[in-house]
Amino acid sequence: MANPALVRSSGINPITTSDAVVQVRDICKNYGDIEALRGINLEFERGKLTTLLGPSGCGKTTLLKIIAGLVPGTSGEIIVNGRVVTGPGPERAFVFQDFALMPWATVLRNVAFGLELKGMASAERTRIARRYIEQVGLAGFEEKYPHELSGGMRQRVGIARAFAVNADVLLLDEPFSAVDEQNRRKFQEDLLQLVEQEKKTFIFVTHSIEEAVYVSDRIVLLSPRPGRISQIIDPMIDRSATPDDIRRDAGYLDVVEEIWQGLRQYAE
Ligand SMILES: Nc1ncnc2c1ncn2[C@@H]1O[C@H](COP(=O)(O)OP(=O)(O)OP(=O)(O)O)[C@@H](O)[C@H]1O
Ligand SMILES: [Mg+2]
């Protein structure tokens, strides 16, 4: 499957006016007999991180792929920066749930590849790729191939690649699921720093309620079969507190509990 960060053409046509960077308008998706998504309407703003949370199979990856332009909706439309999406584009970068690295290319080449497609000169893209490789804790692994890395390390290559291309919209499908708890917490801080500094639009998927509450400005709970929006929660975390204090805060724990109550009905 093509990574939209690696695709040259913008794949979008002009049409609309609204200031949300990404608008999901009445999206429905059927795969044959399976109704994966029904009537999804959402807006995503710059500088905000929105998490899609819901049971396995509720359509989170499907929705990200439709926003990425990798899969068409059955009906409805996606608007990015005021234009209707008709395919992938360089302003949207995707971190895939299953890594999607090029197996024949080194870590350095994988991370730099989106920049290579943008036509960036070799020295410059190597410099940028090395910076992000270091940021995700893979310095020294630049010349390794994906099969020489653990699952969590491959996932970090995918994260570095998405961050390096400097896209407006980051679509992150369970990017930390294969990473150990210590690194996961470090990445959560890195992610929050990126949201704060880079004013991009983040659409994030996780199965961890705690992670969702910790990193999100907004959490969209989806119900399964068909995937529909069941609840929208803004955790309103006080980011001036320390990570430990946030995780112990009664307000934080209340939101975790509220979401757990909202999701437990779907436990199988
Ligand atoms: N390419 C496909 N062909 C047919 N059915 C599909 C396809 N991709 C997804 N589905 C179905 O659509 C539904 C939603 O799948 P999706 O992968 O979007 O769920 P998800 O919420 O990302 O799940 P998970 O949490 O397990 O990653 C599921 O019922 C799945 O079987
Ligand atoms: Mg998924």
Side-chain angles (χ1 to χ4, degrees), residues 235-242 246:
M236 313 277 274
I237 299 295
D238 174 7
R239 302 276 171 218
S240 64
T242 66
I246 291 172

Side-chain angles (χ1 to χ4, degrees), residues 36-154:
L37 292 171
R38 184 189 291 177
I40 306 290
N41 285 287
L42 284 169
E43 296 205 339
F44 301 91
E45 289 170 30
R46 185 175 307 284
K48 303 281 185 209
L49 188 149
T50 305
T51 296
L52 309 177
L53 193 64
S56 184
C58 73
K60 303 177 296 293
T61 297
T62 298
L63 184 56
L64 285 190
K65 285 183 177 168
I66 294 172
I67 295 170
L70 294 168
V71 165
T74 305
S75 61
E77 62 188 8
I78 304 293
I79 294 154
V80 174
N81 290 329
R83 291 155 180 237
V84 174
V85 166
T86 57
E91 76 292 341
R92 285 160 286 150
F94 202 139
V95 175
F96 291 92
Q97 190 170 2
D98 52 6
F99 319 129
L101 302 179
M102 301 180 294
W104 62 86
T106 63
V107 167
L108 185 63
R109 180 104 196 276
N110 264 290
V111 174
F113 192 59
L115 306 172
E116 189 176 334
L117 287 185
K118 281 182 165 179
M120 188 180 283
S122 168
E124 176 72 355
R125 63 177 191 253
T126 299
R127 188 183 62 75
I128 292 172
R130 284 186 187 281
R131 172 151 62 88
Y132 285 98
I133 289 168
E134 190 178 336
Q135 193 181 341
V136 300
L138 290 177
F141 290 87
E142 290 84 351
E143 301 308 323
K144 300 280 186 218
Y145 289 85
H147 74 268
E148 299 176 282
L149 306 178
S150 70
M153 291 163 91
R154 286 202 288 274

